Coordinates of all heavy atoms in Angstrom, one line a residue:
W1 N 8.1 -8.6 17.4 CA 7.8 -8.8 16.0 C 6.6 -8.0 15.5 O 5.5 -8.1 16.1 CB 7.5 -10.3 15.7 CG 8.7 -11.2 15.8 CD1 9.4 -11.7 14.8 CD2 9.3 -11.7 17.0 NE1 10.5 -12.4 15.2 CE2 10.4 -12.5 16.6 CE3 9.1 -11.6 18.4 CZ2 11.3 -13.1 17.5 CZ3 9.9 -12.2 19.3 CH2 11.0 -13.0 18.8
A2 N 6.8 -7.2 14.5 CA 5.7 -6.4 14.0 C 4.7 -7.3 13.4 O 5.1 -8.3 12.8 CB 6.3 -5.4 12.9
P3 N 3.4 -7.0 13.5 CA 2.4 -7.8 12.9 C 2.5 -7.9 11.4 O 3.0 -7.0 10.7 CB 1.1 -7.2 13.4 CG 1.4 -5.8 13.6 CD 2.9 -5.8 14.1
I4 N 1.9 -8.9 10.8 CA 1.8 -9.1 9.4 C 1.0 -7.9 8.8 O 1.3 -7.4 7.7 CB 1.1 -10.4 9.0 CG1 1.9 -11.6 9.4 CG2 0.8 -10.4 7.5 CD1 1.3 -12.9 9.2
A5 N 0.1 -7.3 9.6 CA -0.7 -6.2 9.2 C 0.1 -5.0 8.9 O -0.3 -4.1 8.1 CB -1.7 -5.8 10.3
S6 N 1.4 -4.9 9.4 CA 2.2 -3.7 9.2 C 3.0 -3.8 7.9 O 3.6 -2.8 7.5 CB 3.2 -3.6 10.4 OG 4.2 -4.7 10.4
L7 N 3.0 -4.9 7.2 CA 3.7 -5.1 6.0 C 3.0 -4.3 4.8 O 1.8 -4.2 4.9 CB 3.8 -6.6 5.6 CG 4.7 -7.4 6.6 CD1 4.6 -8.9 6.2 CD2 6.1 -6.9 6.6
P8 N 3.7 -3.8 3.8 CA 3.1 -3.0 2.8 C 1.9 -3.7 2.2 O 2.0 -4.9 1.8 CB 4.2 -2.8 1.8 CG 5.5 -2.9 2.6 CD 5.2 -3.9 3.7
G9 N 0.8 -3.0 2.1 CA -0.4 -3.5 1.5 C -1.3 -4.3 2.4 O -2.5 -4.6 2.0
M10 N -0.8 -4.7 3.6 CA -1.6 -5.6 4.4 C -2.5 -4.9 5.4 O -3.5 -5.5 5.9 CB -0.7 -6.5 5.2 CG 0.0 -7.6 4.3 SD -1.2 -8.6 3.4 CE -2.1 -9.4 4.8
G11 N -2.3 -3.6 5.8 CA -3.1 -2.9 6.8 C -4.6 -2.9 6.4 O -5.4 -3.1 7.2
E12 N -4.8 -2.6 5.1 CA -6.2 -2.4 4.7 C -7.0 -3.7 4.5 O -8.2 -3.7 4.4 CB -6.2 -1.7 3.3 CG -5.6 -2.5 2.2 CD -5.6 -1.7 0.9 OE1 -5.9 -0.5 0.9 OE2 -5.2 -2.3 -0.2
R13 N -6.3 -4.9 4.5 CA -6.9 -6.2 4.3 C -6.7 -7.1 5.5 O -6.9 -8.3 5.4 CB -6.4 -6.8 3.1 CG -4.9 -7.2 3.1 CD -4.5 -7.7 1.7 NE -4.6 -6.7 0.7 CZ -5.2 -6.9 -0.5 NH1 -5.7 -8.1 -0.9 NH2 -5.2 -5.9 -1.4
T14 N -6.4 -6.5 6.7 CA -6.2 -7.3 7.9 C -7.0 -6.8 9.0 O -7.1 -5.5 9.3 CB -4.7 -7.2 8.4 OG1 -3.9 -7.7 7.3 CG2 -4.5 -8.1 9.6
L15 N -7.7 -7.7 9.7 CA -8.3 -7.3 11.0 C -7.3 -7.8 12.1 O -7.1 -9.0 12.2 CB -9.7 -8.1 11.2 CG -10.7 -7.7 10.1 CD1 -12.0 -8.5 10.5 CD2 -11.0 -6.2 10.1
L16 N -6.8 -6.9 12.9 CA -5.8 -7.2 13.8 C -6.4 -7.1 15.2 O -6.9 -6.1 15.6 CB -4.6 -6.2 13.7 CG -3.5 -6.3 14.7 CD1 -2.8 -7.7 14.7 CD2 -2.5 -5.2 14.6
L17 N -6.3 -8.2 16.0 CA -6.9 -8.3 17.3 C -5.8 -8.3 18.4 O -4.8 -9.0 18.3 CB -7.7 -9.6 17.5 CG -9.1 -9.7 16.8 CD1 -9.0 -9.7 15.3 CD2 -9.8 -11.0 17.3
N18 N -6.1 -7.4 19.4 CA -5.2 -7.3 20.6 C -6.1 -7.4 21.8 O -7.3 -7.3 21.8 CB -4.5 -6.0 20.6 CG -3.5 -5.9 19.5 OD1 -3.6 -4.9 18.7 ND2 -2.5 -6.7 19.4
S19 N -5.4 -7.7 22.9 CA -6.1 -7.9 24.2 C -5.2 -7.4 25.3 O -4.0 -7.6 25.3 CB -6.4 -9.4 24.4 OG -7.0 -9.6 25.7
M20 N -5.9 -6.9 26.4 CA -5.2 -6.6 27.6 C -5.2 -7.7 28.6 O -4.6 -7.6 29.7 CB -5.8 -5.3 28.2 CG -5.6 -4.0 27.5 SD -3.9 -3.6 27.4 CE -3.6 -3.1 29.1
S21 N -5.8 -8.8 28.3 CA -6.0 -9.9 29.2 C -4.7 -10.5 29.7 O -4.5 -10.8 30.9 CB -6.8 -11.0 28.6 OG -8.2 -10.6 28.4
K22 N -3.7 -10.7 28.8 CA -2.5 -11.3 29.1 C -1.4 -10.3 29.6 O -0.4 -10.7 30.1 CB -1.9 -12.1 27.9 CG -2.9 -13.1 27.3 CD -3.3 -14.2 28.3 CE -4.1 -15.3 27.8 NZ -5.4 -14.9 27.3
L23 N -1.7 -9.0 29.4 CA -0.7 -8.0 29.8 C -1.1 -7.3 31.1 O -0.2 -7.0 31.9 CB -0.7 -6.9 28.7 CG -0.4 -7.5 27.2 CD1 -0.3 -6.3 26.3 CD2 0.8 -8.3 27.2
M24 N -2.4 -7.1 31.3 CA -2.8 -6.3 32.5 C -3.6 -7.2 33.4 O -3.3 -7.4 34.6 CB -3.7 -5.1 32.1 CG -4.3 -4.3 33.2 SD -5.3 -3.0 32.5 CE -6.2 -2.5 33.9
S25 N -4.7 -7.8 32.9 CA -5.6 -8.6 33.7 C -6.6 -9.4 32.8 O -7.3 -8.7 32.1 CB -6.4 -7.8 34.7 OG -7.5 -8.4 35.2
P26 N -6.7 -10.7 33.0 CA -7.8 -11.4 32.2 C -9.2 -11.1 32.8 O -10.2 -11.3 32.1 CB -7.4 -12.9 32.4 CG -6.6 -12.9 33.6 CD -5.9 -11.6 33.7
G27 N -9.3 -10.7 34.0 CA -10.6 -10.4 34.6 C -11.2 -9.1 34.1 O -12.4 -8.9 34.1
V28 N -10.3 -8.2 33.6 CA -10.8 -7.0 32.9 C -10.9 -7.3 31.5 O -9.9 -7.3 30.7 CB -9.8 -5.8 33.2 CG1 -10.3 -4.5 32.5 CG2 -9.6 -5.6 34.7
R29 N -12.1 -7.6 31.0 CA -12.3 -8.1 29.7 C -12.3 -7.0 28.6 O -13.3 -6.5 28.1 CB -13.7 -8.9 29.6 CG -13.8 -10.0 30.6 CD -12.8 -11.0 30.5 NE -12.7 -11.6 29.2 CZ -11.7 -12.1 28.6 NH1 -10.5 -12.0 29.1 NH2 -11.7 -12.6 27.3
I30 N -11.1 -6.5 28.3 CA -11.0 -5.5 27.3 C -9.9 -5.9 26.2 O -8.8 -6.2 26.6 CB -10.5 -4.1 28.0 CG1 -11.6 -3.7 28.9 CG2 -10.2 -3.1 26.9 CD1 -12.9 -3.3 28.2
G31 N -10.3 -5.7 25.0 CA -9.5 -5.9 23.8 C -9.9 -5.0 22.7 O -10.8 -4.1 22.9
W32 N -9.3 -5.1 21.5 CA -9.8 -4.3 20.4 C -9.4 -4.9 19.1 O -8.6 -5.8 19.0 CB -9.2 -2.9 20.5 CG -7.7 -2.8 20.7 CD1 -6.7 -3.0 19.8 CD2 -7.0 -2.6 22.0 NE1 -5.5 -2.9 20.4 CE2 -5.6 -2.6 21.8 CE3 -7.5 -2.3 23.3 CZ2 -4.7 -2.4 22.8 CZ3 -6.6 -2.1 24.3 CH2 -5.2 -2.1 24.0
I33 N -10.1 -4.4 18.1 CA -9.8 -4.8 16.7 C -9.4 -3.6 15.9 O -10.0 -2.5 16.0 CB -11.1 -5.4 16.0 CG1 -11.7 -6.5 16.8 CG2 -10.7 -5.8 14.6 CD1 -13.1 -7.0 16.3
R34 N -8.3 -3.7 15.2 CA -7.8 -2.6 14.3 C -8.2 -3.0 12.9 O -7.9 -4.1 12.4 CB -6.3 -2.5 14.5 CG -5.7 -1.2 13.8 CD -4.9 -1.6 12.6 NE -4.3 -0.4 12.0 CZ -4.3 -0.1 10.7 NH1 -4.8 -1.0 9.8 NH2 -3.7 1.0 10.2
A35 N -8.8 -2.1 12.2 CA -9.3 -2.3 10.9 C -9.3 -1.0 10.1 O -9.1 0.1 10.7 CB -10.7 -2.9 10.9
E36 N -9.5 -1.1 8.8 CA -9.6 0.1 7.9 C -10.8 -0.1 7.0 O -11.2 -1.2 6.7 CB -8.3 0.2 7.1 CG -7.1 0.4 7.9 CD -5.8 0.6 7.0 OE1 -6.0 0.9 5.8 OE2 -4.7 0.4 7.5
G37 N -11.4 1.0 6.6 CA -12.4 1.0 5.6 C -13.8 0.7 6.2 O -14.1 0.8 7.4
S38 N -14.7 0.3 5.3 CA -16.1 0.1 5.6 C -16.4 -1.0 6.6 O -17.4 -1.0 7.2 CB -16.9 -0.1 4.3 OG -16.4 -1.3 3.6
I39 N -15.5 -2.0 6.7 CA -15.7 -3.1 7.7 C -15.8 -2.5 9.1 O -16.4 -3.1 9.9 CB -14.5 -4.1 7.6 CG1 -14.9 -5.4 8.4 CG2 -13.2 -3.5 8.1 CD1 -16.0 -6.1 7.9
L40 N -15.2 -1.3 9.4 CA -15.3 -0.8 10.7 C -16.8 -0.5 11.1 O -17.2 -0.8 12.3 CB -14.6 0.6 10.8 CG -13.1 0.4 10.8 CD1 -12.4 1.8 10.4 CD2 -12.6 0.1 12.2
D41 N -17.6 -0.1 10.2 CA -19.0 0.1 10.5 C -19.7 -1.2 10.8 O -20.5 -1.3 11.7 CB -19.7 0.9 9.4 CG -19.2 2.3 9.2 OD1 -18.8 2.9 10.2 OD2 -19.3 2.8 8.1
T42 N -19.4 -2.2 10.0 CA -20.0 -3.5 10.2 C -19.6 -4.1 11.5 O -20.4 -4.7 12.2 CB -19.6 -4.5 9.0 OG1 -19.9 -3.8 7.8 CG2 -20.4 -5.8 9.1
L43 N -18.3 -4.0 11.9 CA -17.9 -4.5 13.2 C -18.6 -3.8 14.3 O -19.0 -4.5 15.3 CB -16.4 -4.2 13.3 CG -15.4 -5.0 12.4 CD1 -14.0 -4.5 12.5 CD2 -15.5 -6.5 12.7
A44 N -18.9 -2.5 14.2 CA -19.6 -1.8 15.3 C -21.1 -2.3 15.4 O -21.6 -2.5 16.5 CB -19.6 -0.3 15.0
V45 N -21.7 -2.6 14.2 CA -23.1 -3.1 14.2 C -23.1 -4.5 14.9 O -24.0 -4.8 15.7 CB -23.6 -3.1 12.8 CG1 -25.0 -3.8 12.8 CG2 -23.8 -1.7 12.3
A46 N -22.1 -5.3 14.5 CA -22.1 -6.7 15.0 C -21.8 -6.6 16.5 O -22.4 -7.4 17.3 CB -21.0 -7.5 14.3

């Protein structure tokens, strides 16, 4: 199922979270946030 973020108009107003924990290993603590626009800088600062 494609994420809601992929629907027209939603990519710019969605923070989409993914993780490798359930696919590769929960002990390797790696995931990511997909975002657009100025919120990206704020996420990096946080």
Side-chain angles (χ1 to χ4, degrees):
W1 286 262
I4 296 173
S6 68
L7 295 173
M10 287 303 298
E12 65 182 8
R13 64 185 66 227
T14 302
L15 300 182
L16 177 61
L17 281 69
N18 293 120
S19 174
M20 291 296 289
S21 293
K22 305 301 188 291
L23 307 183
M24 175 185 168
S25 159
V28 180
R29 304 300 303 148
I30 295 296
W32 49 79
I33 306 169
R34 190 249 186 224
E36 297 181 18
S38 60
I39 190 66
L40 284 159
D41 293 333
T42 307
L43 293 172
V45 171

